[in-house]
Each structure stands twice: as structure tokens, then as C-alpha cells.
């Protein structure tokens, strides 16, 4: 997050690095968890490109719970599950979050690239090429022949990033007063990990909610 600053953190009122976001040279690469409805209107007006990565909702919940429980030790999976099903989370209901970017990507496919984590993990090479083309920096034919795409995939792989000392050790205080181990940001990255945490009843309940919310949108997992 030092290389790709996070819009929500640090808090612009509290953190001395906040001004650095404004000082970054264009084109800037920024990260955010915010729903489309909370992005500044000028994001669209200026033609800023948006890459949106979504994930199967059950896996989203499991990942969120593992992280949140490090901040709030008494935050149980049962509590997290009920809140999630009620649409209560840090950035609003997950279905609204997904649908906001999904619908806008249908309207502006050249400005918003909608990706699914599961698809990317299944075929990372194609997704790296797709991303490069979307950002208007496509790989040359020579780079493709020399295996540069595969090199990028390897450098950006979950296991490679997780093993880097900056990610596997040390502590960061991104929440101002709540220090968290850097290793907490890289757990397993595994698709379908929800199956080790959910009962059948829990899975069926959340699946039914998501199916109802997505009905007619064309979006599905």
C-alpha cells in the first residue's frame, strides 16, 4: 500500500502521508474498497479507468471475518454471518457493491473492467494480458514470445507476494491505534475456502440471498 496508496487510509485528517496522494504524479494508481456510489463524480468525468475485482460472496465473508477478528477478538463467525446476510458491512451490502460496478461496466466497458477473483486464479495469464490492454499498456508480440507475461504472473502470484519479508513480517498501524501484523493481509487466497467454515444451511441461506439480489442483472457466481 506504499506503492499503491489506499484512498480510505490513511485518514486525511489524521495522517501526515495524506497529502502525498495529491502530490503523486499522473497517471496515478490508487486502491479503494469504496462502492461506486461513493467515488467522486470527477472519477467518471475525467475518464479515470477503474479495475474492479469481486469475489464469491461466501469467500468474501470468510476473508473479512478472519481479518476483522484480529481487530475485534470477540467478533464470532456467527455474528459476522448474520450481519453480512443483513447487508451490514464496512462498505454496505456486498450485492449492492458488486452490482454498482457490474452495471456501470456494462455501460462503460472501456472505462470499467469488471473481474472475478475465481476467473483470475483459474487463468492468471489471460487476465494479466487483459489488464494490460485495458490500461492501454499492452504487451508487445516480442514480450509475449519471451514469456514476459508469465514472469509478471509469477512475480504477482499470491505465494510470491505472501513470502516477501515486507508482507510476512512486521507490524503496520493503518487504522491509527490498531497495529496489525502485515502477514494478516495474506492468509490463503484459496478459492472455495468458505466450505471449511460454513454449514450447509449457512451456504444455502447466503446463496439464496445473493441469487435474489442479483436476479435479472446477468451477474452470477
Amino acid at each position: 500500500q506504499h506503492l499503491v496508496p489506499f484512498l480510505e487510509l490513511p485518514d486525511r485528517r489524521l495522517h501526515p502521508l495524506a497529502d502525498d496522494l495529491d502530490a503523486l504524479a499522473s497517471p496515478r494508481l490508487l486502491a479503494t474498497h469504496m462502492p461506486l456510489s461513493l467515488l467522486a463524480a470527477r472519477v467518471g468525468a475525467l475518464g479515470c479507468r477503474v479495475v474492479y475485482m469481486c469475489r464469491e460472496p461466501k469467500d468474501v465473508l470468510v476473508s473479512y471475518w478472519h481479518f476483522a477478528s484480529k481487530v475485534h477478538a470477540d467478533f464470532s463467525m456467527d455474528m459476522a454471518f448474520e450481519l453480512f446476510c443483513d447487508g451490514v458491512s464496512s462498505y454496505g451490502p456486498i450485492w449492492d457493491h458488486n452490482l454498482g460496478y457490474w452495471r456501470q461496466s456494462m455501460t462503460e466497458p472501456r472505462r470499467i473492467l469488471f473481474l472475478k477473483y475465481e476467473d483470475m486464479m483459474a487463468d492468471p495469464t489471460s487476465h494479466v494480458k487483459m489488464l494490460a490492454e485495458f490500461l492501454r499498456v499492452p504487451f508487445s508480440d516480442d514480450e509475449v514470445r519471451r514469456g514476459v507475461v508469465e514472469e509478471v504472473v509469477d512475480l504477482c502470484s499470491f505465494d510470491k507476494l505472501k513470502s516477501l519479508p515486507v508482507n510476512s513480517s512486521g507490524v503496520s498501524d493503518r487504522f491509527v491505534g490498531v497495529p496489525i501484523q502485515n502477514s494478516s493481509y495474506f492468509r490463503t487466497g484459496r478459492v472455495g475456502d468458505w466450505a471449511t467454515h460454513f454449514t450447509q444451511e449457512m451456504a444455502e441461506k447466503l446463496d439464496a440471498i445473493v441469487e435474489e439480489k442479483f436476479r435479472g442483472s446477468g451477474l452470477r457466481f
Side-chain angles (χ1 to χ4, degrees):
Q1 290 177 347
H2 290 293
L3 297 176
V4 184
F6 203 61
L7 283 180
E8 296 92 299
L9 299 172
D11 189 298
R12 282 183 174 274
R13 297 166 299 171
L14 301 175
H15 204 292
L17 293 179
D19 291 339
D20 290 352
L21 295 180
D22 296 322
L24 289 174
S26 180
R28 293 181 289 185
L29 183 61
L30 306 171
T32 183
H33 282 322
M34 288 192 290
L36 183 65
S37 60
L38 291 185
L39 293 184
R42 286 176 61 79
V43 168
L46 292 173
C48 300
R49 298 185 189 95
V50 177
V51 178
Y52 183 74
M53 176 67 72
C54 69
R55 193 175 185 182
E56 208 283 338
K58 295 191 294 296
D59 274 339
V60 170
L61 172 56
V62 169
S63 179
Y64 167 70
W65 172 71
H66 272 284
F67 185 80
S69 63
K70 291 179 172 58
V71 180
H72 306 287
D74 58 347
F75 190 50
S76 68
M77 169 55 81
D78 287 342
M79 186 185 303
F81 179 78
E82 293 303 325
L83 288 172
F84 197 80
C85 288
D86 288 340
V88 179
S89 62
S90 301
Y91 296 91
I94 189 64
W95 38 86
D96 288 347
H97 203 295
N98 292 162
L99 287 172
Y101 285 96
W102 169 254
R103 288 169 175 154
Q104 199 63 32
S105 73
M106 297 293 101
T107 303
E108 298 183 272
R110 290 180 57 80
R111 194 177 70 81
I112 297 182
L113 179 62
F114 190 97
L115 302 175
K116 295 180 180 178
Y117 182 79
E118 295 77 18
D119 294 342
M120 180 191 69
M121 294 299 285
D123 187 4
T125 301
S126 294
H127 278 70
V128 167
K129 293 173 67 176
M130 183 193 311
L131 179 60
E133 291 172 3
F134 175 76
L135 296 176
R136 314 299 191 265
V137 286
F139 292 95
S140 66
D141 291 340
D142 180 61
E143 287 174 325
V144 173
R145 283 193 299 271
R146 290 190 289 110
V148 174
V149 181
E150 287 76 15
E151 290 179 9
V152 171
V153 169
D154 179 61
L155 286 170
C156 297
S157 68
F158 186 89
D159 290 340
K160 178 79 72 173
L161 292 174
K162 182 176 182 177
S163 67
L164 293 176
V166 69
N167 294 328
S168 61
S169 61
V171 176
S172 296
D173 188 7
R174 296 188 177 99
F175 295 90
V176 187
V178 187
I180 294 178
Q181 296 288 332
N182 289 333
S183 58
S184 298
Y185 292 89
F186 290 83
R187 196 173 62 87
T188 68
R190 189 167 58 244
V191 173
D193 188 46
W194 62 266
T196 63
H197 297 78
F198 277 35
T199 64
Q200 182 176 345
E201 291 74 19
M202 291 168 68
E204 290 176 351
K205 178 178 179 177
L206 186 50
D207 283 344
I209 293 172
V210 171
E211 181 179 358
E212 178 188 353
K213 300 296 184 180
F214 285 173
R215 185 170 294 125
S217 69
L219 177 60
R220 63 188 65 226
F221 289 95

